[in-house]
Amino acid sequence: PRRNDRYGRPASAVARANVYARPSGDARQAGRLRLLTEDGFPEVYVLLTSRRSARGGAWWIRLRLPQRPNDVTGWVRRRALGPFNLIHTRLVVDRRALQVTLYDRGKRRFRASVGMGAPSTPTPSGSFWIREKFRVTGNSLYGTRAMGTAAYSNTLTDWPGGGVIGLHGTNAPGLIPGRPSHGCIRLRNPDIERLYRLTPIGTPLLIE
């Protein structure tokens, strides 16, 4: 993983500010901060780097944007974001081995088999982060817990929520490990419940 993705520095947006291709209000607009995720939870952004304008001007933050296409980055004025926290956890999803591993301060804390996207709806690769977490109620195909990520499907643009890739439980544990999903990462319910407890919002996620 990229060095800046080893630990997360997440912050919530406090304003719907413009995001620019360069640290300047005169640069091309690359996107816009939003306050809430597609599911209505506070949106979270992760710092990549920072820079101050010339002659002691405003601080700018470079970050990734949770939007399609994946891996869009841009610059926003520091005042548009709340306080940053330091996250010591990191998730790595191995699409070939069909495994997810959680590291805490570089040490492995958790590993489990997963279900991945089918060949026609593959799970995208790249550097992302955990944006939201919630309990799932009822007898759901999403199991008992779910965590939304900043990854979006490259094939299902009309999927609920715009094709957000999530890690969640399942009502068909016999399909894990395997490639049964529309792109999301499925875990057996006991595994997602443990991972849910160990993974704070803002945790960097590498899908390789």
Side-chain angles (χ1 to χ4, degrees), residues 75-93:
W75 294 84
V76 66
R77 290 180 176 87
R78 175 66 185 88
R79 64 174 180 265
L81 299 165
F84 282 96
N85 299 310
L86 179 61
I87 301 295
H88 295 282
T89 47
R90 180 168 58 96
L91 276 171
V92 178
V93 174

Side-chain angles (χ1 to χ4, degrees), residues 33-130:
L33 295 185
R34 55 191 178 194
L35 303 182
L36 300 176
T37 69
E38 291 88 348
D39 295 312
F41 295 94
E43 186 63 274
V44 173
Y45 296 88
V46 178
L47 178 148
L48 295 176
T49 188
S50 60
R51 181 182 299 176
R52 195 170 190 178
S53 300
R55 303 185 186 90
W59 279 97
W60 289 80
I61 302 295
R62 182 170 176 254
L63 41 72
R64 282 196 180 88
L65 299 177
Q67 65 182 45
R68 186 179 280 108
N70 291 317
D71 207 28
V72 172
T73 66
W75 294 84
V76 66
R77 290 180 176 87
R78 175 66 185 88
R79 64 174 180 265
L81 299 165
F84 282 96
N85 299 310
L86 179 61
I87 301 295
H88 295 282
T89 47
R90 180 168 58 96
L91 276 171
V92 178
V93 174
D94 187 329
R95 296 185 299 173
R96 180 175 297 180
L98 298 174
Q99 287 185 330
V100 59
T101 305
L102 177 74
Y103 297 92
D104 189 343
R105 292 175 171 84
K107 296 183 179 180
R108 192 177 81 189
R109 287 285 308 278
F110 172 90
R111 176 171 285 172
S113 297
V114 298
M116 305 292 293
S120 60
T121 54
T123 303
S125 63
S127 295
F128 309 104
W129 65 97
I130 300 298

